[in-house]
Amino acid sequence: MYDICGARSDGKVLNCPFNIPAVKPDDLLSSKIQSLCPTITGDVCCTETQFDTLRSQVQQAIPFIVGCPACLRNFLNLFCELTCSPDQSLFINVTSTTKIKNNSTVDGIEYYITDSFGEGLYESCKNVKFGSSNSRALDFLGAGAKNFKEWFAFIGQKAGVNLPGSPYGIKFSPLPPVSSGMKPTNVSTYSCSDDTLGCSCGDCPSAGACSSTAAPPTQKRHACSIKIGSLEAKCVDFVLAILYIVLVSLFLGGGLFHRIKGKKNSSPLSEARRDRSSVNPQKADTIHAQMLQNTPQRNWAQLSAVQGFLANFYRKYGIWVARHPTLVLCLSVSAVLLLCVGLVQFKVETKPDKLWVGKGSRAAEEKQFFDTHLAPFYRIEQLIIASVPKSPHDKAPEILTDDNIKLLFDIQKKVDGLRANHSGSMVSLTDICLKPLGEDCATQSVLQYFKMKPGNYDDFGGVDHVKYCFEHFTSTESCLSAFKGPLDPTTALGGFSGNSYSEASAFIVTYPVDNAVDNEGNKTEKAVAWEKAFIQLAKDELLPMVKSKGLTLSFSSESSIEEELKRESTADVITIAISYLVMFAYISLALGDAPRLNSFYITSKVLLGLSGVILVMLSVLGSVGFFSAVGMKSTLIIMEVIPFLVLAVGVDNMCILVHAVKRQEQDLLLERRISNALMEVGPSITLASLAEILAFAVGAYIKMPAVRVFSMFAALAVLLDFILQVTAFVALIVFDFKRTEDKRVDCFPCIKKPQSSYSSDKGVGQKKASLLTRYMKDVHAPILSHWVVKILVIAFFFGLAMAGIALSTRIEPGLEQQIVLPQDSYLQGYFNNISTYLRIGPPLYFVVKNYNYSSESRQTNQLCSINKCDSNSLLNEIAKASLTPELSYIAKPAASWLDDFLVWLSPEAFGCCRKFTNGTFCPPDDQPPCCPSDQGSCGLSEVCKDCTTCFRHADLSSDRPSTIQFKEKLPWFLDALPSADCAKGGHGAYSTSVDLQGYENGIIQASSFRTYHTPLNKQADFVNSMRAAQEFSSKVSRSLKMEIYPYSVFYMFFEQYLDIWKTALINLSIAIAAVFAVCLIITCSFWSSAIILLVIAMIIIDLLGVMAVFHIQLNALSVVNLIMSVGIAVEFCVHITHAFSISSGDRNQRMKEALGGMGASVFSGITLTKLVGVIVLGFSRSEVFVVYYFKMYLALVLLGFLHGLVFLPVFLSMFGPAPRHVEGDRLDHRPSVSSLP
């Protein structure tokens, strides 16, 4: 084939089917051929026009592979031999011709070339990356060919009119017919690991220098496990099971030994004692009843120093309050009302970054650096249109049909026509969208294959054109988007496997919108206004359109989550209100006496219960008011949880106080009953409240703002509630008991019951043990006293604790977004579809700080991944990590502005970095001014005919620019538009990847290299991907001695989960330790405090086990609940332990006395009060309430009840502290009981 004999209608020239002897070229043509085809020397079989055609055709491919010299040389040799080899006639056979203007032209040839050359060519190129699209060069130059035969088949296809490729068909064959006398060309190929033309490790992983580096692990590291037969268990489970068996065996053995020894050592004296005690059981019961009635007086001398001080204080204080109830009530309420004045400054924080990201957060600082030095990550508005399978087990139909694409155009028309009102001005998508090249929106949609114009649909070939572009979306002009960049099908399609884009079952339309630093300013306000209109359009118009076609639509905007969370905050107001009302109703019943028809309206405590609830609300308002006054914003968690929390805690104290007053002798003066009641329960209430306050105060040290603020608000609210309980509520008790004694009607104290009608109401106000009290004393306590029951209880609860430890290892960190949102939110379907259809994860940027590009520095080679770059460079390491995505969560090699810049500068990429004779930038031949925009096709123009490459090889040092060359040409590169003649232009693709501020001094302050995470479907995936990226960056930073960090838009919100376990365990430990310290100070008993600590720890461990069973994740909400659980768990054990410690007798007797005295209060005043309020939360419309409040609170209440009224009494009866013994003369210091009968 020699010379040009014609051209097709699209301008592509066709060779002449002539066979003539090779000719000697002139010196100029010879040097030009040598520059591109160094293997061809001497005579050639091509004209200068043929060579210029070859040069212009391969020019489009060179930027894809120029970073790997071996691949480039092999690729060029393939076409150099075809075009200019002097032995061309020996391996080229023209198989068909066609007439063009009466001239015969080549229409098809057979190219005989050895398989060894094809294999060598493919092996040298198969791993070469194309930077800006994070993919392989062969995806564009070979349609993703898997071997050299597939690549040859792709190259040899005859291109259609106006499509890239060969103007005639080429059939590659390894052997010619024997009779033809022809032989295949056998040009040597270069390996990508060649010493002189070797490629980087990213482009040639098989190179010796690369394979010697540590290979990434091929399998995930599994947790330790033990296999016994077909049963496989975690090591921790196995160890805990063995430990439990050993402990239970020792416990049972010790118990049996002690019991047998006790029987042998029984003496006649002990038998006599038992006989004497059994002679008069009535007397014993009378003595026990008397002891219960007079517990404060009888045990005063047994209290610790601190308890004694508190009891003495409460004795005097009770008398004073009973004598001055009005003053106490007014002063205490006025003080809290004064704090409520701060509510005028009340504000609620709803911004997610302000709620979940603490000061000093590494991720927040890195985001700030990224936003200020590079560019804020764009806002995302998204539509997902999916086909529906005929049945749940069927595969969804393909989405790529004519009707569906036309529907997509209709949807796009409505979105383009959408206008939103912002401060009187109308905002459209084009006003706010991201425009990489400054003209068209960078909308990610398959419609970009038609330049977003409906008129191009039929002209370009409809669905067939879309499928064609799946393989040529970078290399074909007609497939480039309206914003002049390539559109990767993985970003616009969903529901396919591998690269089978045609099987996609969903369109994914993404509208990137410009963002502002810190999401503030007029730009953001305009975007939010448009987003609200966009969501409304989707609901009102787009959804019916899509449903009418039998498809599904899900949608979201950048502001959707925040808006839906605001709606969520009001979704359960009624549920919460009902919960409070139910608790109030129960309180009113629990505080009153057993109802009798003729006196219930006097003995009921509805007004007292209501007053108590109002005091609880005042304590919450006072806390919020105080912190609002000092400038702290509230949160939705505070508004929803703290009232419930304080009410649950406050109600306990109400019940305990009222029940304590009722237990006193009714013949005593009211002030004496109040005094004795406060003396009896005041120390334990103080102990419980201080422990709760300290437990919540611990949370103030948590970095997470939402948790820290909650803890501070809760601690102050509980403190205020405690103060109001022992001041205002005690005063209200005085008023209520006076009302009862004065025979006045509850709720209407002005109405007094006539004495005549009351004369028959004997026993009103008389002390009588309730049914629950009698059950605790006569049934519950004796059952727990049996030694078999004790052993079973201890074994069961310790087994429960061991199971809790084992199960807690299965709790995953995170907070599923679907749980937080209302169940009827449109985002529920969106998040489900995201995990179902998306085939690529969020963008991941590796940010390099202070990159030194000067000639003296090695950092350029430590970062890049093309030829002569270090094998352990950043980009090579990223490429290696992408080979094990299941470990690294990195889906692709990184798009590298540095690689593309160095290639763009390379003399081989002769269509890229060019200059006019005056030294200014000369664009590629297919761009203005070289090619006028109104000209259909471009060739060598007069304007740019004298343009030369920026550098010759001699101008560069080891193919690297000098400091001055780098500094001068980098702005050229970042302003260069990509095109067919030079796909490496950096404008658009890398406009925001390099911070040019101050770069003239040889240091680039910030630059980024973009890749993608693998699809992240679960919260654990997000957490693990962030952890993997940070570990990877830390390793590379240490290796290269450079500052490198990873950044993705979700990192800031998931950083909390990297050490959420550490945060939870540390704060739980501090909270429990604080409770222990308070108990130790007040009780002065190490063993009592240790028992309280043990019970609280067991409750928390079991609660963690319940979280694992119900798949409740560990996050800010559950950490708050766990810390809160420490405070509430105190209630279940402190009062029983305190009652046990001030009782006398042996351990069994003291356990029965404690249960008889406090068991009923703990059950009715603590357990049932919380239970009735919690159960109502189960009917919430919000799943977050059901999961994190209903389930966790219900589990806490039940576990607290079981541990407080079953395990703790048994444990105390076996291992409880010894009673405090005192001398008889100290009894003289008891409070006066002269008023007793």
Side-chain angles (χ1 to χ4, degrees):
M1 299 185 299
Y2 185 79
D3 210 352
I4 304 297
C5 286
R8 302 195 317 178
S9 59
D10 58 1
K12 287 188 175 181
V13 297
L14 296 170
N15 293 333
C16 304
F18 303 147
N19 185 12
I20 66 170
V23 299
K24 182 175 178 63
D26 58 36
D27 292 341
L28 178 60
L29 177 58
S30 179
S31 63
K32 289 171 65 177
I33 292 175
Q34 284 286 301
S35 66
L36 189 67
C37 307
T39 59
I40 299 178
T41 57
D43 295 345
V44 296
C45 194
C46 63
T47 63
E48 186 170 3
T49 305
Q50 278 182 282
F51 177 78
D52 289 339
T53 301
L54 168 66
R55 189 176 184 273
S56 64
Q57 288 177 341
V58 298
Q59 176 178 309
Q60 297 181 3
I62 285 175
F64 289 94
I65 54 178
V66 69
C68 179
C71 171
L72 176 63
R73 175 51 46 216
N74 293 335
F75 183 80
L76 291 178
N77 284 347
L78 176 70
F79 292 97
C80 286
E81 293 294 316
L82 171 66
T83 305
C84 293
S85 172
D87 300 321
Q88 183 193 99
S89 61
L90 296 178
F91 52 82
I92 298 293
N93 179 36
V94 177
T95 56
S96 63
T97 60
T98 185
K99 289 282 187 179
I100 302 283
K101 295 182 179 178
N102 296 323
N103 290 330
S104 290
T105 60
V106 174
D107 188 52
I109 65 170
E110 195 163 9
Y111 189 170
Y112 298 113
I113 191 164
T114 61
D115 286 347
S116 60
F117 179 89
E119 189 70 32
L121 169 63
Y122 179 79
E123 288 298 319
S124 67
C125 296
K126 67 179 182 180
N127 292 308
V128 176
K129 303 182 305 296
F130 178 59
S132 61
S133 64
N134 304 79
S135 55
R136 297 190 313 156
L138 274 184
D139 291 341
F140 313 111
L141 299 180
K146 301 296 188 299
N147 52 61
F148 79 90
K149 292 184 178 179
E150 289 183 9
W151 192 8
F152 279 173
F154 174 79
I155 292 173
Q157 291 176 352
K158 180 180 178 180
V161 177
N162 293 317
L163 294 177
S166 173
Y168 49 82
I170 305 174
K171 180 182 178 183
F172 292 90
S173 300
L175 293 173
V178 177
S179 59
S180 66
M182 303 176 72
K183 61 181 180 180
T185 183
N186 190 22
V187 181
S188 299
T189 56
Y190 295 90
S191 167
C192 63
S193 58
D194 185 83
D195 292 337
T196 57
L197 296 176
C199 308
S200 68
C201 289
D203 292 337
C204 186
S206 61
C210 305
S211 58
S212 63
T213 59
T218 56
Q219 292 183 345
K220 290 187 178 181
R221 285 175 289 182
H222 295 286
C224 173
S225 62
I226 295 174
K227 194 168 185 179
I228 304 173
S230 59
L231 180 65
E232 185 172 0
K234 284 186 173 182
C235 290
V236 66
D237 298 347
F238 182 78
V239 170
L240 287 171
I242 296 297
L243 180 62
Y244 175 69
I245 293 170
V246 171
L247 290 176
V248 169
S249 300
L250 290 174
F251 177 73
L252 289 175
L256 289 172
F257 175 78
H258 180 75
R259 185 168 180 81
I260 293 170
K261 184 179 179 182
K263 286 183 178 181
K264 288 182 179 180
N265 294 337
S266 60
S267 64
L269 179 61
S270 62
E271 294 293 335
R273 285 177 179 171
R274 280 198 291 271
D275 292 341
R276 284 199 299 271
S277 64
S278 62
V279 167
N280 195 348
Q282 180 64 37
K283 183 177 179 181
D285 286 348
T286 304
I287 293 172
H288 186 66
Q290 184 181 4
M291 185 170 65
L292 281 177
Q293 293 170 3
N294 302 312
T295 295
Q297 291 82 8
R298 295 283 177 157
N299 294 286
W300 166 250
Q302 297 177 2
L303 300 176
S304 69
V306 178
Q307 286 175 311
F309 170 79
L310 288 174
N312 190 45
F313 166 79
Y314 277 118
R315 177 180 64 81
K316 297 176 181 178
Y317 170 74
I319 293 174
W320 186 79
V321 172
R323 292 174 179 173
H324 308 92
T326 305
L327 177 62
V328 171
L329 181 63
C330 293
L331 286 177
S332 57
V333 172
S334 298
V336 177
L337 285 174
L338 186 62
L339 292 177
C340 293
V341 175
L343 289 171
V344 296
Q345 301 292 329
F346 175 74
K347 293 179 181 178
V348 177
E349 185 63 80
T350 57
K351 291 185 177 179
D353 56 324
K354 302 292 184 182
L355 288 173
W356 309 117
V357 184
K359 289 183 179 179
S361 161
R362 169 185 168 184
E365 292 175 354
E366 290 170 349
K367 176 185 182 299
Q368 184 69 21
F369 182 86
F370 187 92
D371 289 352
T372 53
H373 286 272
L374 299 171
F377 192 81
Y378 49 81
R379 303 173 71 89
I380 294 176
E381 335 297 343
Q382 202 164 58
L383 300 172
I384 300 178
I385 302 156
S387 58
V388 181
K390 294 181 179 179
S391 70
H393 303 291
D394 290 344
K395 185 179 178 182
E398 293 179 4
I399 196 74
L400 285 169
T401 65
D402 286 321
D403 290 341
N404 291 342
I405 294 179
K406 289 175 181 177
L407 171 65
L408 206 55
F409 272 117
D410 293 338
I411 291 173
Q412 187 61 44
K413 183 178 180 181
K414 287 189 174 293
V415 173
D416 288 337
L418 179 64
R419 298 292 184 272
N421 191 340
H422 171 66
S423 302
S425 62
M426 304 310 290
V427 181
S428 67
L429 178 61
T430 54
D431 297 327
I432 60 173
C433 69
L434 181 69
K435 301 173 182 175
L437 301 184
E439 297 178 4
D440 294 282
C441 296
T443 301
Q444 304 293 296
S445 167
V446 293
L447 301 184
Q448 289 288 9
Y449 295 137
F450 305 101
K451 316 295 184 187
M452 302 297 289
K453 296 178 181 178
N456 288 342
Y457 183 71
D458 292 325
D459 295 343
F460 282 19
V463 174
D464 290 338
H465 176 70
V466 175
K467 293 180 179 180
Y468 173 82
C469 288
F470 291 160
E471 298 180 351
H472 306 85
F473 60 90
T474 297
S475 57
T476 303
E477 174 63 30
S478 63
C479 293
L480 292 180
S481 63
F483 60 89
K484 304 296 189 294
L487 177 76
D488 191 332
T490 57
T491 63
L493 295 170
F496 57 88
S497 57
N499 291 330
S500 303
Y501 305 121
S502 299
E503 298 176 0
S505 57
F507 289 133
I508 299 173
V509 184
T510 306
Y511 302 101
V513 169
D514 274 330
N515 210 346
V517 177
D518 295 329
N519 291 325
E520 295 177 354
N522 190 54
K523 181 188 289 186
T524 300
E525 291 172 1
K526 285 184 176 181
V528 170
W530 187 87
E531 286 165 359
K532 290 180 179 178
F534 170 72
I535 295 299
Q536 201 59 46
L537 173 72
K539 290 179 179 179
D540 297 342
E541 299 185 39
L542 303 186
L543 194 56
M545 285 173 59
V546 172
K547 283 186 174 180
S548 66
K549 300 293 185 180
L551 305 174
T552 63
L553 173 68
S554 55
F555 47 91
S556 170
S557 71
E558 185 74 16
S559 56
S560 286
I561 293 179
E562 187 173 340
E563 293 297 322
E564 288 297 281
L565 287 178
K566 289 179 182 177
R567 185 168 73 88
E568 166 79 344
S569 64
T570 60
D572 285 296
V573 171
I574 296 176
T575 304
I576 297 170
I578 292 174
S579 176
Y580 293 157
L581 287 174
V582 171
M583 291 178 72
F584 160 68
Y586 174 77
I587 294 164
S588 301
L589 292 173
L591 295 183
D593 294 333
R596 288 193 238 169
L597 185 62
N598 60 348
S599 62
F600 75 91
Y601 45 85
I602 291 177
T603 60
S604 67
K605 306 290 183 186
V606 174
L607 189 58
L608 182 62
L610 178 61
S611 302
V613 172
I614 291 173
L615 291 180
V616 170
M617 293 300 107
L618 278 177
S619 66
V620 175
L621 293 175
S623 175
V624 175
F626 172 78
F627 285 111
S628 297
V630 298
M632 290 184 67
K633 290 184 179 181
S634 182
T635 68
L636 297 177
I637 294 179
I638 289 171
M639 305 313 297
E640 294 167 346
V641 180
I642 288 184
F644 180 86
L645 163 67
V646 180
L647 187 61
V649 172
V651 167
D652 305 341
N653 293 341
M654 289 185 222
C655 291
I656 290 170
L657 283 168
V658 173
H659 289 167
V661 176
K662 286 182 181 181
R663 281 199 299 270
Q664 307 308 312
E665 287 291 337
Q666 301 302 301
D667 293 338
L668 290 174
L669 294 174
L670 179 59
E671 64 183 48
R672 179 63 64 187
R673 279 180 277 156
I674 297 293
S675 172
N676 290 347
L678 280 177
M679 197 168 68
E680 177 186 346
V681 299
S684 64
I685 286 178
T686 303
L687 171 59
S689 297
L690 285 177
E692 288 163 350
I693 292 165
L694 276 178
F696 291 124
V698 166
Y701 295 97
I702 297 178
K703 294 181 180 179
M704 202 182 304
V707 179
R708 184 177 68 250
V709 171
F710 167 84
S711 300
M712 295 170 67
F713 276 68
L716 182 57
V718 173
L719 175 61
L720 293 176
D721 182 58
F722 166 68
I723 293 171
L724 288 175
Q725 295 294 333
V726 296
T727 55
F729 189 71
V730 173
L732 289 170
I733 291 175
V734 174
F735 285 127
D736 190 75
F737 273 76
K738 284 183 177 181
R739 173 195 63 77
T740 303
E741 293 172 357
D742 206 23
K743 315 299 186 295
R744 295 185 180 276
V745 178
D746 192 19
C747 297
F748 303 98
C750 295
I751 302 175
K752 185 175 181 181
K753 187 174 182 181
Q755 185 66 32
S756 59
S757 64
Y758 191 77
S759 58
S760 61
D761 294 345
K762 294 180 181 179
V764 173
Q766 299 274 327
K767 179 182 176 186
K768 182 180 178 181
S770 67
L771 178 64
L772 186 57
T773 301
R774 294 198 301 272
Y775 164 78
M776 286 291 174
K777 174 186 173 184
D778 300 332
V779 179
H780 192 71
I783 290 175
L784 295 183
S785 298
H786 198 281
W787 71 275
V788 175
V789 174
K790 290 181 181 182
I791 290 175
L792 291 176
V793 166
I794 295 293
F796 173 77
F797 278 90
F798 272 103
L800 207 60
M802 294 294 181
I805 295 173
L807 287 170
S808 65
T809 62
R810 293 162 171 80
I811 299 176
E812 291 187 351
L815 177 60
E816 295 293 346
Q817 292 166 309
Q818 292 94 321
I819 290 179
V820 181
L821 299 167
Q823 292 181 352
D824 60 348
S825 172
Y826 62 88
L827 289 177
Q828 295 284 358
Y830 171 75
F831 285 122
N832 289 334
N833 286 349
I834 283 289
S835 60
T836 301
Y837 296 113
L838 250 62
R839 293 298 181 265
I840 195 71
L844 166 62
Y845 299 87
F846 287 96
V847 181
V848 179
K849 290 185 176 181
N850 301 319
Y851 158 42
N852 186 345
Y853 64 79
S854 65
S855 303
E856 296 77 17
S857 170
R858 291 199 66 259
Q859 290 191 358
T860 296
N861 286 338
Q862 288 180 314
L863 293 177
C864 65
S865 64
I866 60 171
N867 182 41
K868 298 184 181 179
C869 296
D870 292 353
S871 62
N872 66 336
S873 69
L874 170 63
L875 291 162
N876 279 329
E877 290 298 320
I878 295 173
K880 293 175 191 175
S882 69
L883 299 176
T884 55
E886 69 281 359
L887 295 177
S888 66
Y889 293 89
I890 297 175
K892 300 181 176 183
S896 169
W897 68 267
L898 182 58
D899 282 357
D900 284 359
F901 173 54
L902 296 177
V903 168
W904 184 83
L905 284 174
S906 173
E908 279 89 357
F910 43 79
C912 292
C913 184
R914 308 197 305 171
K915 58 185 178 181
F916 287 111
T917 52
N918 62 2
T920 58
F921 176 62
C922 175
D925 287 328
D926 58 353
Q927 294 181 23
C930 303
C931 178
S933 55
D934 57 351
Q935 187 171 329
S937 60
C938 297
L940 190 62
S941 68
E942 288 295 320
V943 177
C944 301
K945 67 177 182 178
D946 294 327
C947 288
T948 58
T949 56
C950 294
F951 304 110
R952 295 169 298 176
H953 280 290
D955 299 327
L956 303 174
S957 175
S958 298
D959 292 335
R960 299 292 182 262
S962 66
T963 305
I964 295 176
Q965 291 168 340
F966 198 110
K967 179 169 59 178
E968 288 179 349
K969 298 303 183 284
L970 182 59
W972 286 19
F973 167 72
L974 295 176
D975 287 336
L977 294 171
S979 64
D981 279 1
C982 181
K984 292 290 185 180
H987 189 65
Y990 302 119
S991 297
T992 59
S993 295
V994 185
D995 180 14
L996 292 181
Q997 184 175 359
Y999 88 106
E1000 297 88 355
N1001 60 7
I1003 302 292
I1004 294 176
Q1005 294 183 49
S1007 63
S1008 66
F1009 302 92
R1010 185 192 75 250
T1011 180
Y1012 289 91
H1013 277 301
T1014 53
L1016 308 176
N1017 298 323
K1018 300 183 298 183
Q1019 294 286 290
D1021 293 339
F1022 285 92
V1023 178
N1024 292 335
S1025 66
M1026 181 179 182
R1027 180 180 287 110
Q1030 290 189 347
E1031 290 175 354
F1032 171 83
S1033 293
S1034 297
K1035 182 188 72 173
V1036 175
S1037 295
R1038 289 193 301 270
S1039 171
L1040 303 182
K1041 294 180 174 55
M1042 299 176 68
E1043 192 172 358
I1044 303 167
Y1045 73 84
Y1047 169 71
S1048 192
V1049 68
F1050 68 88
Y1051 280 5
M1052 186 171 65
F1053 303 108
F1054 282 83
E1055 182 186 35
Q1056 57 181 297
Y1057 301 123
L1058 294 179
D1059 57 358
I1060 191 74
W1061 267 112
K1062 179 181 176 183
T1063 300
L1065 293 176
I1066 288 176
N1067 285 280
L1068 283 172
S1069 301
I1070 295 174
I1072 295 174
V1075 170
F1076 174 77
V1078 172
C1079 294
L1080 184 61
I1081 291 171
I1082 293 180
T1083 65
C1084 294
S1085 170
F1086 177 85
W1087 189 231
S1088 294
S1089 304
I1091 290 173
I1092 292 173
L1093 182 145
L1094 172 67
V1095 175
I1096 294 174
M1098 290 177 67
I1099 291 173
I1100 300 302
I1101 288 170
D1102 291 345
L1103 187 57
L1104 288 170
V1106 171
M1107 288 176 60
V1109 171
F1110 287 106
H1111 304 291
I1112 299 174
Q1113 294 171 305
L1114 193 66
N1115 49 54
L1117 293 177
S1118 50
V1119 169
V1120 166
N1121 287 344
L1122 288 169
I1123 294 174
M1124 186 175 71
S1125 299
V1126 174
I1128 293 179
V1130 171
E1131 298 276 351
F1132 288 99
C1133 52
V1134 161
H1135 301 293
I1136 297 290
T1137 307
H1138 175 70
F1140 180 87
S1141 67
I1142 63 174
S1143 302
S1144 58
D1146 62 25
R1147 288 191 178 99
N1148 271 331
Q1149 289 174 332
R1150 293 164 65 202
M1151 180 266 283
K1152 292 177 182 178
E1153 185 177 338
L1155 278 177
M1158 290 302 299
S1161 295
V1162 170
F1163 181 75
S1164 62
I1166 298 178
T1167 305
L1168 291 182
T1169 306
K1170 293 176 172 64
L1171 196 61
V1172 294
V1174 166
I1175 288 174
V1176 178
L1177 295 178
F1179 299 96
S1180 170
R1181 288 191 302 151
S1182 168
E1183 195 173 357
V1184 72
F1185 262 83
V1186 174
V1187 173
Y1188 288 96
Y1189 299 136
F1190 170 67
K1191 289 183 179 179
M1192 286 195 72
Y1193 287 5
L1194 181 62
L1196 171 62
V1197 172
L1198 295 178
L1199 289 170
F1201 159 71
L1202 290 173
H1203 283 78
L1205 292 180
V1206 179
F1207 172 76
L1208 179 60
V1210 168
F1211 196 85
L1212 287 172
S1213 71
M1214 300 180 72
F1215 310 106
R1220 296 174 185 271
H1221 297 288
V1222 295
E1223 300 298 329
D1225 59 354
R1226 289 190 60 190
L1227 298 177
D1228 295 338
H1229 299 285
R1230 292 178 299 174
S1232 173
V1233 291
S1234 59
S1235 58
L1236 292 176

